[in-house]
Amino acid sequence: LNLTNVLEGDSMDQDVESPVAIHQPKLPKQARDDLPRHISRDRTKRKIQRYVRKDGKCNVHHGNVRETYRYLTDIFTTLVDLKWRFNLLIFVMVYTVTWLFFGMIWWLIAYIRGDMDHIEDPSWTPCVTNLNGFVSAFLFSIETETTIGYGYRVITDKCPEGIILLLIQSVLGSIVNAFMVGCMFVKISQPKKRAETLVFSTHAVISMRDGKLCLMFRVGDLRNSHIVEASIRAKLIKSKQTSEGEFIPLNQTDINVGYYTGDDRLFLVSPLIISHEINQQSPFWEISKAQLPKEELEIVVILEGMVEATGMTCQARSSYITSEILWGYRFTPVLTLEDGFYEVDYNSFHETYETSTPSLSAKELAELANRAELPLSWSVSSKLNQHAELETEEEEKNPEELTERNGDVANLENESKV
């Protein structure tokens, strides 16, 4: 027998919850709406608003940002963060505007010098040969900035203003090329898409592992190229109210997934089950199976590492709300040994199976274990029955033997040890 079977009995299956009256101070409407209240059965079915979505995108919108000029001070990052349709639109517009701008200047130079009035005059030396209008000036601007050089329109040495404009357009054209091509390259090589092949299990589970109650979830990498220096961390997102009455919306609390033991640093070649031991430092210390569905919390998990092919840092995120945390389940094994290699079955990556798990919180389990002076893996009921049987046997013995034993304390201690 183990503690799991004992704690599932009728006598120890009662979860007593005492409602706590929370004083609500005068707060903004958004804070008042998020204050913890008494949770009824109907309210437990209300959908919890996610802080981080399952695909890793943060469900937060920034409003009333007045200092918008800050985005322009870092224009490169602003362009990289834009969506592809806007990025491509800006890419085309920048080149088109520069070509039109310098084409207009080439046309003005030809117009001011009078080249338009001597188009058919062979004795006239124009600034740019074969430039007879705005369209030809626009084409010459494109040829100059892109260094195409068809050879039909050529600048002459009799036009110093044209030579200066040619230098300016060449330099500015190189700057525009470096900026826009660099922006497109960074956007294409962003490691965000690498995170698409880093997968998290659909559910998190709570069950016993090595005699301790643990919260677990699974991570995996679908690619053959590995994530270098991979590390995992988790955050608990839950609003709280301090003892002074201060309300903290969406308070973030660290969930230890092996930081002190080094288990948070992963060798992610095959899917791994990440385990969080629910102890006194855990935010789930006082949460039981009956209390879990009533909690409004979210677990955000973050997997970080360097992409082996590019060396860029990649981050993948996911989250679990209370309805996605299964109490009393374990993950189905996905790794099998084949002929000369290990095979991972990703069809079973998200599958779980039910296992015998106590419905009490980790705190209540620890109190029961301390009360019985036994490890968690021992049986409380069997030990109590053993004590009852010993008392019955002592009562059935003759008074003389009891008197003898009561007089010898040392022998009593030795027999009790036996």
Side-chain angles (χ1 to χ4, degrees), residues 52-68:
V52 176
R53 294 187 294 187
K54 294 294 286 185
D55 58 359
K57 295 181 180 179
C58 298
N59 195 21
V60 177
H61 299 271
H62 300 282
N64 299 326
V65 180
R66 298 181 180 180
E67 298 177 347
T68 54

Side-chain angles (χ1 to χ4, degrees), residues 55-110:
D55 58 359
K57 295 181 180 179
C58 298
N59 195 21
V60 177
H61 299 271
H62 300 282
N64 299 326
V65 180
R66 298 181 180 180
E67 298 177 347
T68 54
Y69 67 90
R70 295 181 179 272
Y71 295 103
L72 299 178
T73 57
D74 188 12
I75 186 64
F76 187 83
T77 305
T78 302
L79 290 176
V80 172
D81 290 340
L82 288 176
K83 295 182 178 179
W84 268 109
R85 54 179 176 268
F86 299 116
N87 207 301
L88 292 174
L89 177 63
I90 293 175
F91 186 85
V92 173
M93 289 297 298
V94 167
Y95 279 105
T96 304
V97 168
T98 54
W99 293 337
L100 288 172
F101 174 74
F102 284 104
M104 177 65 70
I105 297 179
W106 285 114
W107 180 81
L108 285 176
I109 290 176

Side-chain angles (χ1 to χ4, degrees), residues 267-286:
F267 182 51
L268 197 58
V269 178
S270 61
L272 299 175
I273 296 177
I274 310 302
S275 176
H276 162 67
E277 179 184 337
I278 303 179
N279 50 27
Q280 293 183 356
Q281 288 74 35
S282 172
F284 300 94
W285 175 244
E286 299 180 356

Side-chain angles (χ1 to χ4, degrees), residues 3-20:
L3 184 60
T4 302
N5 298 329
V6 178
L7 297 174
E8 288 180 347
D10 295 335
S11 60
M12 298 185 183
D13 229 11
Q14 298 178 354
D15 248 345
V16 181
E17 298 176 9
S18 57
V20 179

Side-chain angles (χ1 to χ4, degrees), residues 384-398 402:
L384 293 176
N385 293 334
Q386 182 180 357
H387 283 305
E389 291 175 1
L390 290 175
E391 291 177 359
T392 305
E393 291 177 359
E394 289 178 355
E395 291 176 357
E396 292 176 354
K397 292 181 179 180
N398 53 52
L402 287 176

Side-chain angles (χ1 to χ4, degrees), residues 208-252:
M208 300 296 292
R209 174 177 275 193
D210 293 331
K212 299 177 182 178
L213 202 61
C214 295
L215 169 72
M216 293 170 283
F217 58 92
R218 183 149 59 186
V219 296
D221 188 1
L222 301 179
R223 287 188 179 273
N224 291 327
S225 58
H226 308 306
I227 295 294
V228 182
E229 296 292 334
S231 62
I232 190 77
R233 52 196 176 97
K235 293 278 188 179
L236 176 68
I237 309 298
K238 182 181 179 181
S239 301
K240 63 175 290 188
Q241 189 174 18
T242 63
S243 57
E244 294 80 12
E246 178 188 4
F247 177 71
I248 305 177
L250 301 177
N251 181 60
Q252 299 184 14

